[in-house]
Amino acid sequence: MNKEQVLGCVQEILPEAIDRLKQYLSYPTVSAQHKAIPETVDYVVQMIHEAGGETKVLDDLGGNPVVYAFFAAGSNGDASKTLLYYNHYDVQPPEPFNEWHTEPFTPTVIDGKLFARGAADNKGDLVARLSAIKILQKQGGLPCNIKFLIEGEEEIGSPNLEPYLRQYKDLFAADACIWEFGGKDESERISMVAGIKGMAYLELTCTGADIDMHSSVGAYVDNAAWRLVQALATMKNEQNEILVEGFFDGIEEPTADEKKFVSELPFSEEATAELYGLKRPLITKAKGVDPREAMVFHPTMTICGLDSGYTGEGAKTVLPKNARAKVDCRLVPGQDPQHILRCIEAHLKKHGYDDITVTMINGQKAYRSDFHHPFVAHVLDTARVIYENEPVLAPNSAGTGPMYIFGEQLKLPVVSTGVGWVGCKVHAPNESIRLKDFEEGIAHMVVMLSGFAQALSLAK
Amino acid sequence: MNKEQVLGCVQEILPEAIDRLKQYLSYPTVSAQHKAIPETVDYVVQMIHEAGGETKVLDDLGGNPVVYAFFAAGSNGDASKTLLYYNHYDVQPPEPFNEWHTEPFTPTVIDGKLFARGAADNKGDLVARLSAIKILQKQGGLPCNIKFLIEGEEEIGSPNLEPYLRQYKDLFAADACIWEFGGKDESERISMVAGIKGMAYLELTCTGADIDMHSSVGAYVDNAAWRLVQALATMKNEQNEILVEGFFDGIEEPTADEKKFVSELPFSEEATAELYGLKRPLITKAKGVDPREAMVFHPTMTICGLDSGYTGEGAKTVLPKNARAKVDCRLVPGQDPQHILRCIEAHLKKHGYDDITVTMINGQKAYRSDFHHPFVAHVLDTARVIYENEPVLAPNSAGTGPMYIFGEQLKLPVVSTGVGWVGCKVHAPNESIRLKDFEEGIAHMVVMLSGFAQALSLAK
């Protein structure tokens, strides 16, 4: 099929696909808050059966269930080649509610955009992939075997995924993997990655007392909020340099080749500033660092949340009993989340803050796939068929996911691509996808799957 | 009447007084949240009428209404002498709700303690004072004129009280004033003050972007939470020393006499640590400062609240668009809240944080009354009649209130005493008074009022 034929097939199934996606998005599957897990799993299984697949719901190793799906190659297809899709059915918390223009779990189409928590991350991608499968089945059967791993704890750091992948290594065995997400950048180029950053998501808590106190006692009682502020201020300086000893241990220097790819990534400081409404210049500017290099190669330490005492309207004169910070360290290949935790604990102790406790909520290693693999070339080539602009490939994304476990257990090349866009606001209020991107994402998967077995065979 | 007779009279009216107080406490009069103001005013007026007083509800100068009450001296009393009571009908926000063992606005007696938001601060005191008036009226009439000023914005810093006191100076004219609060300390001694600290309650806000972002952009996007943390860390060092230039300008050195009083105040570090469940030593310890001196004579800078990004359960990987801190500076005589605001703004600018906005939510000057006035001696002497232990007098409290305006407009001596206790948890969950203290507080007011005119006449 050529581009027009494929897009024609997409048009035929589109209304049904959007209805299915809206239904899927109406489940408030917030893993951090233990919400709507069983109902969402049931609906995922139902969607796979409707698309002609078989399922196993794995829930024997703890955590939210992992859904395995299998679609067999058609009689004209090549059953010796298997593609694995990785998706997750859980979503980020929708808070703060008051900043949503629509209800986060009432999917709403406005001006060609579908707004809902999870639209871009990652429910839209699953429905796009299943829709591509339906189109291929109508055309005479699948060109290869297709598997899915759809987990329910990605947004809390996939804490239980490793045992499932180890235990069910043979079930999930495949020749290559398409990762969960992707989308168009600010130049409307589809942006793909062949790797991912790691993460150490930490909660720092300083407890000063058993109860909140009247703030007048601040003359002699120590203040947990001040202690936390002062402790945090020792961890990073005003130039945004991370000061924790050992934090950079083990980092693998990127290859010249990786650096070259990164230097060619598109990036517009102006477009980024405009998109988020930034009030200050990029932090890389003062240091003369290329933001693309920072995005791909540099670890981060971000405060995701601060919480202490009274945060409502007006004044409450309270000396808070405790203070908490959520700190997200994005890691690069070679860094170990457990080592990061130990370094931060040692740092706090060294600076006299051993009363501040550090809990790791989410720890994952970074991973870079082999992005010279013919599978990667095939995904790029087929993207060129469907997308108007030249696609972009980065050695790893700035985001995180459990790719390291896949690489270690399944030993396969991984490319991530999806139906998002630069303004899709994942993890923020008013998350959306554009229906045009959803259509093109389906079409890309149709073309990619059609040539998948051949591309891999030729390569060998 | 001797002590036993007075306590006997208190017993007679006690059940009715407790019922009235419970009803009063059931109004959720949270001024910071604009709640239940008109209903509470109506109930205050009703209580005054029941006690035989007349009222004027003043609401022509903005803000929540100020209730004026007047009770005329009886035929045997001295109508040339007038005592003024200062009270407020508003309360602090009850949050965090989940730490209350009872509902904050469902007054509940457990083991001789009455739990409710506002029980100690300051609704219990108003009912105790009105109860004393009822007892004296039953005994043949009031021994002097009595006025009340009952305002509804004390917990948000009395932002509109000054114009009322200026406009209605003659209406509120009196010979002396009993201030709103007081109570027993950790040694069960009734603790009074003849002054009060001032306050500059500030909100610092750092805005980094228009929207929350995915935390992966932390590699190049500036983080409002980090900026606020680093800015705050320049304002106070790890030894809890305030580093803002000009903050200490104008402070009046306490007199030798004031210092002597303070050095004799009871204070137990162990009892304080036990009461609040403190995890760390007092901050005065390392500096070799007497906590009593710090409490009375030293200004403070306390973080009352921190708020940024995601503060719920688990992980949300967000780079917050903004971060806020609520900072309460308690001031001593000579400091000016407006000057403090300007100093902090200048400090932030000097340190490169001119993007952080500072808003003053509440600004009040400190005040010290003349604590050698015979009225002060009379309040102390009559306390000795009722209370088992020797009373304690401090030149000023560690807390705050609009006493400076009273002193400036009405030129009268002020003493604060009330029905609280050391564990009454004002401004915190599970606020309470002990019914025993409520009884004694009523009895003290009966005796104090009985000799008030004479004490003041003798003194002249």
Side-chain angles (χ1 to χ4, degrees):
Chain A
M1 290 196 286
N2 65 23
K3 178 176 174 178
E4 282 61 42
Q5 285 167 325
V6 174
L7 288 172
C9 295
V10 173
Q11 283 305 319
E12 275 175 35
I13 55 101
L14 193 65
E16 187 199 322
I18 293 171
D19 283 352
R20 193 180 291 121
L21 175 55
K22 281 180 164 179
Q23 175 69 31
Y24 186 27
L25 289 168
S26 71
Y27 294 99
T29 328
V30 182
S31 48
Q33 298 164 357
H34 312 292
K35 287 194 182 142
I37 305 299
E39 319 68 300
T40 309
V41 168
D42 287 349
Y43 189 71
V44 166
V45 165
Q46 186 190 320
M47 285 196 294
I48 291 161
H49 292 169
E50 275 173 11
E54 56 192 68
T55 56
K56 281 198 212 309
V57 176
L58 310 174
D59 65 353
D60 54 334
L61 301 172
N64 295 337
V66 174
V67 179
Y68 162 82
F70 180 73
F71 297 81
S75 50
N76 298 325
D78 182 348
S80 77
K81 294 286 176 289
T82 303
L83 178 87
L84 173 67
Y85 281 111
Y86 166 66
N87 282 79
H88 59 89
Y89 59 80
D90 64 325
V91 301
Q92 280 279 313
E95 288 89 343
F97 287 103
N98 60 359
E99 296 186 14
W100 283 80
H101 305 312
T102 60
E103 292 295 315
F105 298 109
T106 305
T108 307
V109 175
I110 301 171
D111 291 340
K113 296 187 192 88
L114 174 55
F115 289 89
R117 168 58 83 231
D121 185 13
N122 159 260
K123 288 176 171 176
D125 289 303
L126 178 63
V127 175
R129 292 160 185 191
L130 292 173
S131 300
I133 290 172
K134 282 193 152 183
I135 288 170
L136 288 163
Q137 276 169 336
K138 277 195 197 172
Q139 301 292 320
L142 297 183
C144 60
N145 289 334
I146 299 170
K147 293 178 177 178
F148 279 83
L149 186 157
I150 309 162
E151 67 146 323
E153 299 187 330
E154 197 275 341
E155 298 295 4
I156 55 170
S158 307
N160 297 293
L161 190 60
E162 187 165 7
Y164 282 102
L165 265 174
R166 200 182 300 119
Q167 174 84 8
Y168 296 102
K169 200 189 297 194
D170 298 339
L171 193 64
F172 289 111
D175 299 292
C177 177
I178 293 280
W179 203 247
E180 50 145 341
F181 66 88
K184 290 189 187 145
D185 65 16
E186 58 270 26
S187 331
E188 295 292 343
R189 295 168 66 181
I190 185 83
S191 176
M192 306 179 189
V193 295
I196 213 148
K197 273 185 173 173
M199 180 186 281
Y201 194 103
L202 308 168
E203 185 161 281
L204 277 67
T205 304
C206 180
T207 303
D210 289 339
I211 56 170
D212 283 353
M213 293 153 277
H214 190 287
S215 62
S216 63
V217 302
Y220 50 89
V221 168
D222 211 349
N223 182 321
W226 270 119
R227 273 187 78 71
L228 183 67
V229 159
Q230 280 149 349
L232 286 168
T234 66
M235 290 167 59
K236 208 175 177 185
N237 66 15
E238 299 188 356
Q239 290 73 47
N240 278 290
E241 290 162 341
I242 298 164
L243 305 176
V244 175
E245 206 176 315
F247 186 88
F248 297 92
D249 286 355
I251 290 181
E252 294 164 14
E253 188 62 23
T255 62
D257 203 34
E258 286 168 337
K259 282 186 179 173
K260 184 171 166 295
F261 259 80
V262 167
S263 72
E264 290 166 0
L265 292 174
F267 185 85
S268 159
E269 179 168 345
E270 294 67 34
T272 302
E274 168 80 15
L275 175 66
Y276 300 129
L278 298 184
K279 308 304 171 201
R280 294 177 46 78
L282 299 187
I283 57 177
T284 41
K285 204 177 181 88
K287 288 186 259 181
V289 169
D290 184 334
R292 295 168 293 193
E293 283 199 13
M295 187 167 61
V296 178
F297 298 132
H298 296 182
T300 66
M301 184 186 280
T302 299
I303 296 178
C304 298
L306 286 175
D307 186 22
S308 182
Y310 181 68
T311 57
E313 191 185 349
K316 186 183 177 193
T317 48
V318 66
L319 193 151
K321 64 177 178 177
N322 63 17
R324 273 194 309 266
K326 298 198 190 246
V327 176
D328 165 20
C329 305
R330 298 281 168 148
L331 310 180
V332 296
Q335 285 182 299
D336 175 357
Q338 289 297 335
H339 179 70
I340 296 295
L341 171 63
R342 285 192 298 270
C343 287
I344 289 177
E345 284 174 337
H347 173 94
L348 290 172
K349 192 167 184 180
K350 184 177 133 193
H351 286 79
Y353 295 105
D354 50 359
D355 57 316
I356 295 181
T357 60
V358 188
T359 311
M360 186 144 73
I361 295 177
N362 177 347
Q364 291 181 330
K365 288 185 185 172
Y367 185 70
R368 278 190 205 129
S369 180
D370 171 13
F371 68 109
H372 295 296
H373 193 281
F375 169 65
V376 179
H378 174 65
V379 179
L380 276 171
D381 286 344
T382 49
R384 288 186 185 104
V385 173
I386 296 299
Y387 293 105
E388 199 174 318
N389 299 320
E390 174 65 15
V392 180
L393 179 72
N396 63 261
S397 96
T400 301
M403 200 186 278
Y404 181 84
I405 318 172
F406 278 71
E408 209 175 35
Q409 296 296 331
L410 305 181
K411 319 274 182 209
L412 38 65
V414 183
V415 175
S416 199
T417 186
V419 300
W421 64 294
V422 66
C424 63
K425 298 183 182 169
V426 292
H427 296 210
N430 304 308
E431 181 175 349
S432 72
I433 55 169
R434 300 182 301 197
L435 294 178
K436 182 72 172 17
D437 300 322
F438 183 64
E439 288 178 49
E440 291 180 348
I442 297 172
H444 180 208
M445 286 302 112
V446 170
V447 181
M448 190 280 295
L449 287 166
S450 299
F452 173 73
Q454 198 185 1
L456 261 72
S457 305
L458 285 175
K460 280 185 183 172
Chain B
M1 292 195 286
N2 65 21
K3 178 176 175 176
E4 281 62 42
Q5 286 167 324
V6 174
L7 288 171
C9 294
V10 173
Q11 282 304 318
E12 275 175 36
I13 56 100
L14 194 63
E16 187 198 321
I18 293 170
D19 283 350
R20 195 179 290 121
L21 176 54
K22 280 181 165 178
Q23 175 69 30
Y24 186 29
L25 290 167
S26 70
Y27 295 99
T29 329
V30 181
S31 47
Q33 298 163 357
H34 313 291
K35 287 193 182 143
I37 304 298
E39 330 53 310
T40 310
V41 168
D42 286 350
Y43 190 71
V44 166
V45 165
Q46 185 191 322
M47 286 196 293
I48 291 162
H49 292 170
E50 275 172 12
E54 56 194 69
T55 55
K56 281 197 211 311
V57 176
L58 310 173
D59 64 355
D60 53 334
L61 301 173
N64 295 336
V66 173
V67 180
Y68 162 82
F70 180 72
F71 297 82
S75 49
N76 299 325
D78 182 349
S80 76
K81 293 286 178 287
T82 303
L83 179 86
L84 174 66
Y85 281 113
Y86 167 66
N87 282 79
H88 58 89
Y89 58 80
D90 64 324
V91 301
Q92 280 279 315
E95 287 91 341
F97 287 102
N98 61 357
E99 295 186 14
W100 283 82
H101 305 312
T102 60
E103 293 295 316
F105 299 109
T106 305
T108 308
V109 175
I110 300 170
D111 292 340
K113 294 187 195 88
L114 173 54
F115 289 89
R117 167 59 82 232
D121 185 14
N122 158 262
K123 288 176 170 175
D125 289 303
L126 177 65
V127 176
R129 291 160 187 192
L130 292 173
S131 300
I133 289 172
K134 282 194 153 182
I135 289 170
L136 287 164
Q137 274 167 337
K138 276 196 200 170
Q139 302 293 319
L142 298 183
C144 58
N145 290 334
I146 300 172
K147 294 179 179 177
F148 280 85
L149 186 158
I150 308 161
E151 67 147 322
E153 299 188 328
E154 197 275 341
E155 298 295 3
I156 54 169
S158 308
N160 297 293
L161 190 59
E162 187 165 8
Y164 282 102
L165 265 173
R166 199 183 301 121
Q167 173 84 6
Y168 296 102
K169 199 190 296 193
D170 296 340
L171 192 66
F172 290 111
D175 299 291
C177 177
I178 294 280
W179 202 247
E180 51 146 341
F181 67 88
K184 291 188 187 148
D185 66 15
E186 59 270 23
S187 331
E188 294 292 342
R189 295 167 67 182
I190 185 82
S191 176
M192 304 179 191
V193 295
I196 213 147
K197 272 187 175 173
M199 178 185 283
Y201 194 103
L202 308 168
E203 186 161 282
L204 278 66
T205 305
C206 182
T207 303
D210 289 338
I211 56 170
D212 283 354
M213 293 153 277
H214 189 287
S215 63
S216 63
V217 302
Y220 51 89
V221 168
D222 210 351
N223 182 321
W226 270 118
R227 272 188 78 71
L228 183 67
V229 159
Q230 280 149 348
L232 286 167
T234 66
M235 290 167 58
K236 208 173 175 185
N237 66 16
E238 298 189 356
Q239 289 74 49
N240 278 289
E241 289 160 343
I242 297 165
L243 305 177
V244 174
E245 204 177 318
F247 187 88
F248 298 92
D249 286 354
I251 290 180
E252 294 163 15
E253 187 63 21
T255 62
D257 203 35
E258 286 168 337
K259 282 187 179 170
K260 185 172 168 291
F261 259 79
V262 167
S263 72
E264 288 167 0
L265 292 174
F267 184 85
S268 159
E269 178 168 345
E270 294 67 33
T272 302
E274 169 80 15
L275 175 66
Y276 300 129
L278 298 184
K279 308 304 171 201
R280 294 178 46 80
L282 298 187
I283 57 177
T284 41
K285 205 176 180 91
K287 289 185 259 181
V289 169
D290 184 334
R292 294 168 293 193
E293 284 199 13
M295 188 165 60
V296 178
F297 298 132
H298 296 181
T300 67
M301 185 186 280
T302 299
I303 295 177
C304 297
L306 286 175
D307 186 22
S308 182
Y310 183 68
T311 57
E313 191 184 350
K316 185 183 177 194
T317 49
V318 67
L319 191 150
K321 64 176 178 176
N322 62 16
R324 274 195 309 265
K326 297 197 192 247
V327 175
D328 166 20
C329 304
R330 299 282 167 148
L331 310 181
V332 298
Q335 285 182 300
D336 175 357
Q338 290 297 337
H339 179 70
I340 297 296
L341 171 63
R342 285 191 298 270
C343 289
I344 289 177
E345 284 173 336
H347 173 93
L348 290 171
K349 191 167 183 181
K350 184 177 133 191
H351 285 79
Y353 294 104
D354 49 0
D355 57 317
I356 295 181
T357 60
V358 188
T359 309
M360 186 144 73
I361 295 178
N362 178 346
Q364 291 182 328
K365 288 183 182 174
Y367 186 70
R368 275 188 208 131
S369 179
D370 170 15
F371 69 108
H372 294 296
H373 193 281
F375 169 65
V376 179
H378 174 66
V379 179
L380 276 170
D381 284 345
T382 49
R384 289 186 183 104
V385 174
I386 296 299
Y387 293 105
E388 201 173 316
N389 298 320
E390 175 64 14
V392 179
L393 179 71
N396 63 263
S397 96
T400 301
M403 199 185 278
Y404 180 82
I405 317 173
F406 278 71
E408 209 175 32
Q409 296 297 331
L410 305 180
K411 319 274 181 210
L412 39 64
V414 183
V415 175
S416 199
T417 184
V419 300
W421 64 294
V422 67
C424 62
K425 298 185 181 167
V426 291
H427 296 209
N430 304 307
E431 181 175 347
S432 72
I433 55 171
R434 301 182 299 198
L435 294 178
K436 183 73 169 19
D437 299 322
F438 183 64
E439 289 177 49
E440 290 179 350
I442 298 171
H444 179 208
M445 286 302 111
V446 170
V447 181
M448 190 281 294
L449 286 166
S450 301
F452 173 73
Q454 197 184 4
L456 260 71
S457 306
L458 286 175
K460 283 188 180 170

